[in-house]
Amino acid sequence: MSEPTQKYSISMPRDVAEAARARSGPSGLSAYVTAAVARQIERDNLAELIAVAEAEHGPITEEEIEATRKIQRRAHAEQTADSEPQRKAS
């Protein structure tokens, strides 16, 4: 069961509202805005976590960022290669 909902009134620029309504699809504008706000909250929480970690351990260096990107690219390549035989078998 999902959380109970409550109706809110918000203001936003007309062009933003119209673009959101056009993209909201069958789930509707409320669901689209809810998902956008939830993503923003996740980003805010992550930013807070990064700030705490950097205060404790120092800022993340470009070398650390690039090393992490390499690990992610390698994992993605391995995952893609692992799924190739399954695609051909289907």
Side-chain angles (χ1 to χ4, degrees), residues 75-85 87:
H76 178 72
E78 289 172 4
Q79 185 178 33
T80 303
D82 288 345
S83 65
E84 283 300 317
R87 286 188 199 152

Side-chain angles (χ1 to χ4, degrees), residues 10-26:
I10 63 168
S11 299
M12 68 175 73
R14 183 179 307 217
D15 60 334
V16 173
E18 290 174 1
R21 187 176 301 280
R23 292 178 178 265
S24 63

